[in-house]
């Protein structure tokens, strides 16, 4: 057993996510978490709202297959003057995707997510975010102590 496991307990986990901005067609084919935001069309640093958090075994394939949702999100932001969609993503190992996605949704409660909004069914989890982590908390912990 590693020292970290002794300190945190075997079931407790800590994840560090480094988000980057992508165009839909530029996403890597790797496992990860993605966030969709409404953002200013003119100012690249102005983000208004976190709309959706998702997970994918292969980010590009998942977002490409998510065309219906993407159209709904575009209609939502197009109804607002001067807004567009912004997409960020961070690598997460495949076997931890569900837990990290659930923690992110439970903590941030995006407008278009329906699952994991009101319950977190995993052991205590700490997530830290960096990079282009618009509107995300830098570090948070969810789950029972």
């Amino acid at each position: 057993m590693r020292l970290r496991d002794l300190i945190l307990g075997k079931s407790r986990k800590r994840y560090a996510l480094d988000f980057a901005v992508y165009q839909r067609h530029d996403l890597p084919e790797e496992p990860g978490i993605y966030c969709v935001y409404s953002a200013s069309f003119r100012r690249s640093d102005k983000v208004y709202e976190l709309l959706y958090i998702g997970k994918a075994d292969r980010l590009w394939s998942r977002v490409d297959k998510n065309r219906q949702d993407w159209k709904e999100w575009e209609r939502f932001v197009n109804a607002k003057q001067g807004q567009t969609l912004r997409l960020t993503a961070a690598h997460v190992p495949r076997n931890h995707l569900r837990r990290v996605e659930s923690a992110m949704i439970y903590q941030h409660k995006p407008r278009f997510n329906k699952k994991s909004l009101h319950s977190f069914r995993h052991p205590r989890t700490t997530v830290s975010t960096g990079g282009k982590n618009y509107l995300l908390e830098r570090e948070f912990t969810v789950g029972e102590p």
Side-chain angles (χ1 to χ4, degrees), residues 50-96:
L50 175 61
L51 300 176
Y52 185 81
I53 295 172
K55 67 174 172 28
D57 288 333
R58 296 181 350 210
L59 287 164
W60 183 86
S61 296
R62 174 67 177 106
V63 172
D64 187 54
K65 289 178 184 169
N66 214 1
R67 289 188 195 114
Q68 252 340 91
D69 289 339
W70 197 267
K71 286 178 184 175
E72 180 182 357
W73 304 329
E74 283 179 331
R75 280 193 300 276
F76 175 78
V77 299
N78 287 340
K80 299 175 182 239
Q81 193 77 8
Q83 290 188 24
T84 188
L85 294 175
R86 172 100 15 93
L87 178 65
T88 64
H91 172 75
V92 174
R94 187 170 279 113
N95 57 331
H96 297 279

Side-chain angles (χ1 to χ4, degrees), residues 97-111:
L97 282 171
R98 182 169 290 141
R99 184 176 185 167
V100 174
E101 179 198 39
S102 292
M104 296 279 294
I105 294 169
Y106 183 74
Q107 182 67 24
H108 297 98
K109 301 190 182 351
R111 175 185 295 264

Side-chain angles (χ1 to χ4, degrees), residues 6 13 25 34 38 52 73 119 142:
L6 287 171
K13 296 285 183 189
H25 58 275
Y34 64 97
S38 64
Y52 185 81
W73 304 329
S119 65
V142 294

Side-chain angles (χ1 to χ4, degrees), residues 5-66:
D5 291 335
L6 287 171
I7 294 169
L8 292 176
K10 195 76 167 149
S11 63
R12 296 180 186 182
K13 296 285 183 189
R14 175 177 291 274
Y15 301 93
L17 308 181
D18 186 27
F19 285 89
V21 176
Y22 292 95
Q23 297 296 321
R24 274 177 73 188
H25 58 275
D26 289 336
L27 280 165
E29 279 288 331
E30 65 179 27
I33 298 292
Y34 64 97
C35 299
V36 180
Y37 299 89
S38 64
S40 172
F41 185 75
R42 290 183 172 70
R43 290 186 47 204
S44 63
D45 62 337
K46 185 67 177 164
V47 175
Y48 299 110
E49 182 181 359
L50 175 61
L51 300 176
Y52 185 81
I53 295 172
K55 67 174 172 28
D57 288 333
R58 296 181 350 210
L59 287 164
W60 183 86
S61 296
R62 174 67 177 106
V63 172
D64 187 54
K65 289 178 184 169
N66 214 1

Side-chain angles (χ1 to χ4, degrees), residues 99-134:
R99 184 176 185 167
V100 174
E101 179 198 39
S102 292
M104 296 279 294
I105 294 169
Y106 183 74
Q107 182 67 24
H108 297 98
K109 301 190 182 351
R111 175 185 295 264
F112 289 101
N113 282 97
K114 292 171 181 54
K115 295 179 182 174
S116 302
L117 286 173
H118 306 294
S119 65
F120 181 73
R121 296 184 174 130
H122 301 276
R124 190 170 181 88
T125 301
T126 299
V127 177
S128 60
T129 67
K132 299 295 183 177
N133 61 343
Y134 308 110

